[in-house]
Amino acid sequence: MADVVQYKLERMLPELDDLEKRCLFSRQEIAEIVKQRRKFEYRLKRPSPLKQDFVAYIDYEKSLDSLRLLRKKAQMKTTGDRKLKKSVSDYAGVSRIIEIYRLATTRFKGDIELWFQYLEFCRERRNGRMKKALAQVIRFHPKVPGVWIYAAAWEFDNNLNAAAARALMHSGLRACPTSEDLWVEYLRMELTYLNKLKARKVVLGEDEGTLARSGNSAKEEQWRDENKELFIVLDDKREEDKLSNLHDGDSKEKLDLFREQGLSVLQTVYGGSIKALPSSFSLRTKFLDILEATDLGHSEDMRNEILADMKRDFSKEPKYWDWLARQEVIDLNNPETTEAMTVDQLSSAIQVYEEGLKIVPSASMFDCYAKFLMDVIHFKNKGSQSSELFSTASHAMDPISHLLVVYEKAETMGCITEDLACQHVSFLLQLGKVDEAKTLAEKLCSGKFSEAVQLWALRFSIEMRFIQKNSTPNKAALSSIFEPMRNALLKLPISEAETIWLMALKYFSTHKKFFDKLVETSISLLAKDGGSDDGFSLSATIVNFVLQRDGLGSARELYKRFLALPHPGLSLYRNCIELELNLASSGDKISLGNVRKLFETSLTTYDQDVRLWQDYYNMEVKLGTSETAAAIHWRARKTLKKSISLLPSLNM
C-alpha cells in the first residue's frame, strides 16, 4: 500500500514543480499539500474506504484548485499579462478530481447523489469525461428518471444535438414508462426544439412570432444578441428542411404550420403518457399548464379534449373538482392578484363545488370546499380594497355565510368528520359567536363525536373561557363543566386523552374537591388499563401536580397509591425515583431508603431493562458504598444474560 501511495505522489512532481516555478505556492505550502494528499491517499487505500473519504479528498482538491485560480488571476493582474500560456498545473487539478470521482463511483455504484455530483463537475468544467460518465450512470441506474432527463438536457443544451436528446428520452420512456417527470420533460424538449426553429426563422426575417406566449416583444437587435445560439445548425435536418422550404411571403401559413406541428407533438406525447399513466391526475394538469404557456394551433380544442378526459377519468375524485373550481378564480396563493377576483368568478367556483357534491357526496369533497372558502376569506380580509371586494355581493355569494352553510350541509348529509367539526366550531369562535360555538360543540360531543378527543378539548376550552368571562367561577359553574369532562375522560383511552387530562388538571388544580375527584377517576382507569411505559404517563403527571401544589408528603402518599395498582408503568417508577433522589442527594437518609425500595420494586417487573440497572448502579456509586455498588453490578450481570454486552457502561 505504501509503495502505491508513494508512486502516486511521485507522479505529482511535475505539477508541484510547476506551481513553485510560477510562484503560485511556496515550498512550505507545497510540502503541506503533499502531506495532505498522502493522508487522503492512505485513506483511499484502506480495505474498506468510506464515501466520506472520497468526498473529503474531492473537497480539498476543489478548494486547492480554486485557490490556484485566484492566485493566478492576481498574478496576471499584477504583471499585466492576460494571456499566460497554460501548463501542466492548469490541468492536473481537474484531472485528479475526475479520477477521484471515478474511483468513488466505481466503489459506490448505487449512490445516485455521488453520480450527479460527478456529472455536475464534468459539466461545469466542460470535461471530456462527461460522455463516458453519462453512459456509465445510465448503465447502472436505468430506472432513475432523473438520469435520462439529465443526459437528454446535456445533449440538447450543451451539444445542441436534438436527435441524441430525443433518442435518450425515448430510451428513458421505455425504461421508466410510469415517470411523470420524463413525459413532461420530453414534451417540453420537443416544444422547445420547435420553438428554436421558429425563432430562428423570425431572426432571419422569414416569419413572425414564436410559440411561447409573451406579453411584450424585445427589440430586434437585443433579441438577436441574447439568442445567438439559435443560429447554430441543429442536427435534425428533416424537420428543419421541411420548414425552410416554405415561401417567404406566406408568413401566416408558416406560422400555422409551426403551431400545427406543436399541437401534433403535444397530442402524440399526451396520448402515450395517458396509456402509461392512466390514473395520474397531476400529469394531466401539467400538460394543461404547458398548453397554456405555448401558442399552438387549435389549443382550445386540445384543452377541451384534456378536460373531457379528466372529467371522464376523475369525476369520482374530490381532487378533480377542487382543481376545476380553483381554475375559475385567480391564484389564491398570490396576494397581489387577489383584488382581481370578481363575484362572477367566485360564483362559478361555487357552482363547480356544488356539482361535485352531487356526484361525490363525501367528507373529502366537503373538506376541499371548506378549504377553498377559507382561502377566499383569508385573502378577502387582506388589505382594505380586497376586504370590500364582496360588499355588493348577494348574501349567497358572501364566502363567510356560504362557509357556514357548507359546514351545516356536511352535518346534514352525514359527511362531517372530526376535523370538519373542529373547523366549524373554530370558525364560529373567529367570528365572535361564542354562544353558537359552545352550543354546537355540546351538540357534536353528545352525538356522533362522543369519543373525539380534539372536539372535546375544543369544547372544554370554550366552556372554561365562557365561565371566566361571564362570572366568577362558583361551585355550580365548575360542576357544570367538570361532570361532562369527567364522563369524557372515563370513555376515552388515557393514551389518546393527554390534552384533556392536562387541561383538566391545570384548570382544577386550585379546586381541591374537583381535583381529588380527578385523582380518583385516574386511579379507577389505571386499575383497569395499567400504567403507560411510553409517552404520556397519567400517574406521573398527577404526582408532579400534587408535588407542586401540596409538597413532598402528599406526593409520596399519592405515588404509593399508584404503585399499589396492577402493573404500574416504568415511567412512574422513574419519576418517583427522580423525586426521591433529589432529596437523597442533599443527605436525606429516608429518601435514600425510598430510592432503594423503588428500584427494588421496579426491578421485580422490569428486570430486563438495562437502563434501570445502570441507574441503580450509578446511584449506589454516588450515594452508597463500593460493596452495595458491586452487589448491584453482580446482580445485573446475572439477570441480563442475553444483554451482557450492554453492561460495560456499568463500570463507569
Side-chain angles (χ1 to χ4, degrees):
M1 181 170 71
D3 293 341
V4 175
V5 172
Q6 186 63 27
Y7 174 71
K8 283 196 170 186
L9 292 174
E10 288 175 359
R11 293 191 63 185
M12 300 175 191
L13 284 175
E15 170 201 352
L16 298 174
D17 288 341
D18 187 56
L19 290 174
E20 184 180 5
K21 181 179 178 182
R22 299 176 70 176
C23 300
L24 295 175
F25 290 92
S26 65
R27 181 173 290 272
Q28 185 178 359
E29 289 174 326
I30 290 175
E32 182 62 26
I33 292 172
V34 173
K35 179 181 176 182
Q36 291 296 325
R37 285 179 175 173
R38 178 180 283 109
K39 180 180 70 174
F40 284 121
E41 289 292 343
Y42 271 113
R43 285 184 183 177
L44 298 191
K45 292 301 177 184
R46 293 187 298 181
S48 298
L50 304 175
K51 175 187 172 182
Q52 189 57 38
D53 297 333
F54 291 96
V55 173
Y57 197 180
I58 290 169
D59 290 341
Y60 174 76
E61 290 294 339
K62 284 182 178 179
S63 301
L64 186 64
D65 196 55
S66 299
L67 179 59
R68 182 192 62 80
L69 285 172
L70 286 173
R71 290 185 177 181
K72 182 181 177 182
K73 289 179 181 178
Q75 191 180 78
M76 291 167 62
K77 188 175 181 181
T78 303
T79 59
D81 188 0
R82 297 190 176 183
K83 291 186 178 180
L84 284 176
K85 185 179 179 181
K86 290 189 176 182
S87 59
V88 63
S89 61
D90 293 304
Y91 306 102
V94 174
S95 298
R96 183 172 296 102
I97 295 171
I98 292 291
E99 179 62 18
I100 299 169
Y101 267 125
R102 187 190 67 79
L103 293 173
T105 51
T106 300
R107 180 164 186 82
F108 302 100
K109 296 182 180 68
D111 195 322
I112 192 66
E113 181 183 356
L114 190 61
W115 276 106
F116 275 118
Q117 291 175 9
Y118 183 16
L119 295 174
E120 272 299 292
F121 183 79
C122 292
R123 185 186 65 81
E124 290 172 2
R125 298 305 179 97
R126 301 179 181 228
N127 191 273
R129 187 87 183 179
M130 180 70 168
K131 194 167 185 179
K132 189 172 182 180
L134 277 174
Q136 288 177 324
V137 72
I138 288 173
R139 185 179 63 181
F140 292 128
H141 299 279
K143 296 297 182 181
V144 178
V147 169
W148 296 102
I149 294 172
Y150 191 97
W154 181 72
E155 289 287 358
F156 189 82
D157 297 328
N158 292 73
N159 294 345
L160 299 175
N161 190 340
R166 185 179 292 113
L168 283 168
M169 277 295 189
H170 288 170
S171 298
L173 288 172
R174 284 192 293 271
C176 312
T178 58
S179 171
E180 289 186 21
D181 292 337
L182 260 178
W183 285 105
V184 171
E185 292 305 320
Y186 176 48
L187 176 60
R188 290 187 193 278
M189 187 195 74
E190 290 289 2
L191 292 178
T192 301
Y193 175 65
L194 193 61
N195 192 49
K196 280 191 173 188
L197 294 177
K198 179 73 174 67
R200 182 183 178 188
K201 283 195 169 290
V202 172
V203 174
L204 295 174
E206 300 176 1
D207 213 334
E208 300 176 358
T210 62
L211 296 180
R213 297 184 191 271
S214 59
N216 300 317
S217 58
K219 294 181 180 180
E220 184 178 355
E221 292 299 326
Q222 181 180 357
W223 195 93
R224 286 174 182 266
D225 294 336
E226 293 175 353
N227 296 273
K228 290 180 180 178
E229 72 278 0
L230 300 178
F231 294 99
I232 299 175
V233 179
L234 298 175
D235 291 339
D236 198 335
K237 295 291 184 183
R238 289 175 295 177
E239 294 184 13
E240 187 177 353
D241 292 342
K242 181 179 178 181
L243 295 171
S244 61
N245 287 333
L246 298 171
H247 297 292
D248 294 338
D250 196 0
S251 61
K252 176 65 177 176
E253 183 181 346
K254 287 184 288 184
L255 177 62
D256 289 341
L257 178 57
F258 275 104
R259 294 173 63 195
E260 290 292 339
Q261 282 209 334
L263 180 65
S264 177
V265 168
L266 192 146
Q267 287 176 329
T268 303
V269 178
Y270 172 74
S273 65
I274 296 309
K275 290 180 181 178
L277 294 162
S279 60
S280 175
F281 178 77
S282 59
L283 182 62
R284 317 282 181 101
T285 61
K286 289 175 183 177
F287 273 105
L288 280 174
D289 292 339
I290 294 174
L291 184 62
E292 291 294 331
T294 52
D295 184 17
L296 304 178
H298 308 290
S299 60
E300 190 62 30
D301 294 340
M302 186 64 196
R303 184 176 187 275
N304 292 334
E305 179 185 342
I306 296 176
L307 288 174
D309 290 345
M310 292 171 71
K311 187 172 184 178
R312 180 196 65 207
D313 297 336
F314 302 103
S315 60
K316 297 295 183 181
E317 298 184 23
K319 62 182 178 182
Y320 163 72
W321 296 101
D322 184 48
W323 174 85
L324 191 62
R326 289 176 181 269
Q327 296 300 304
E328 299 292 336
V329 300
I330 48 83
D331 186 6
L332 291 176
N333 294 321
N334 187 0
E336 296 179 359
T337 61
T338 305
E339 296 177 7
M341 186 190 298
T342 64
V343 176
D344 292 337
Q345 288 177 334
L346 179 61
S347 177
S348 299
I350 288 174
Q351 288 177 7
V352 173
Y353 278 114
E354 292 294 337
E355 183 182 355
L357 282 174
K358 294 177 182 177
I359 299 175
V360 194
S362 65
S364 300
M365 190 73 233
F366 276 105
D367 188 52
C368 294
Y369 198 173
K371 285 180 179 177
F372 168 77
L373 291 173
M374 286 294 291
D375 290 340
V376 173
I377 294 167
H378 172 71
F379 287 107
K380 171 192 170 184
N381 294 328
K382 255 191 171 181
S384 57
Q385 295 183 8
S386 58
S387 63
E388 299 173 357
L389 184 61
F390 300 98
S391 58
T392 59
S394 63
H395 178 74
M397 289 300 104
D398 176 34
I400 295 177
S401 60
H402 202 83
L403 180 57
L404 292 173
V405 171
V406 169
Y407 285 132
E408 293 172 1
K409 191 173 182 180
E411 184 181 356
T412 304
M413 294 177 64
C415 296
I416 192 168
T417 60
E418 181 181 357
D419 187 44
L420 279 173
C422 291
Q423 288 181 34
H424 191 183
V425 175
S426 300
F427 187 61
L428 289 173
L429 290 175
Q430 292 177 18
L431 297 176
K433 300 180 179 181
V434 182
D435 292 337
E436 292 184 29
K438 178 174 176 294
T439 304
L440 177 63
E442 290 178 0
K443 173 187 172 185
L444 293 171
C445 288
S446 302
K448 181 179 179 181
F449 301 103
S450 59
E451 297 183 4
V453 177
Q454 293 182 1
L455 197 57
W456 275 108
L458 186 58
R459 175 189 171 182
F460 293 138
S461 65
I462 297 172
E463 295 275 7
M464 293 171 185
R465 184 167 30 172
F466 191 80
I467 291 174
Q468 292 174 348
K469 181 180 178 181
N470 292 307
S471 62
T472 303
N474 53 41
K475 185 177 179 181
L478 291 173
S479 182
S480 66
I481 185 177
F482 177 80
E483 290 304 325
M485 181 179 283
R486 182 174 177 275
N487 292 333
L489 291 173
L490 288 170
K491 294 179 183 178
L492 300 170
I494 295 174
S495 58
E496 298 177 8
E498 177 181 356
T499 305
I500 302 177
W501 272 108
L502 293 175
M503 188 184 299
L505 292 170
K506 184 177 180 181
Y507 187 77
F508 292 106
S509 60
T510 56
H511 303 281
K512 189 174 186 328
K513 180 180 177 181
F514 294 105
F515 189 85
D516 291 343
K517 286 185 178 180
L518 282 174
V519 172
E520 296 301 325
T521 302
S522 68
I523 290 174
S524 64
L525 288 173
L526 290 170
K528 292 189 297 182
D529 300 337
S532 173
D533 295 335
D534 305 311
F536 175 62
S537 174
L538 177 59
S539 52
T541 304
I542 295 177
V543 169
N544 290 334
F545 266 97
V546 172
L547 178 65
Q548 295 176 6
R549 192 189 69 170
D550 300 329
L552 180 61
S554 299
R556 261 186 194 147
E557 292 180 7
L558 184 59
Y559 82 60
K560 288 178 181 178
R561 292 184 63 188
F562 281 128
L563 291 176
L565 296 174
H567 195 73
L570 181 57
S571 54
L572 174 62
Y573 280 114
R574 293 190 185 282
N575 188 77
C576 298
I577 288 169
E578 183 180 359
L579 185 153
E580 296 288 358
L581 197 56
N582 290 333
L583 290 174
S585 300
S586 61
D588 190 336
K589 299 297 183 182
I590 297 176
S591 295
L592 181 58
N594 289 335
V595 171
R596 287 193 173 110
K597 289 179 182 178
L598 287 168
F599 270 120
E600 292 295 338
T601 307
S602 61
L603 286 171
T604 57
T605 306
Y606 303 101
D607 61 337
Q608 295 300 313
D609 190 282
V610 178
R611 185 184 161 195
L612 192 61
W613 282 106
Q614 289 174 337
D615 292 342
Y616 195 3
Y617 173 78
N618 292 332
M619 186 275 295
E620 290 293 352
V621 169
K622 292 178 182 178
L623 303 177
T625 63
S626 58
E627 290 80 5
T628 56
I632 297 302
H633 184 271
W634 180 83
R635 287 173 57 194
R637 293 184 66 87
K638 184 178 178 181
T639 305
L640 300 171
K641 295 178 181 178
K642 294 183 180 179
S643 304
I644 198 75
S645 60
L646 300 175
L647 284 176
S649 57
L650 292 175
N651 296 320
M652 294 176 58

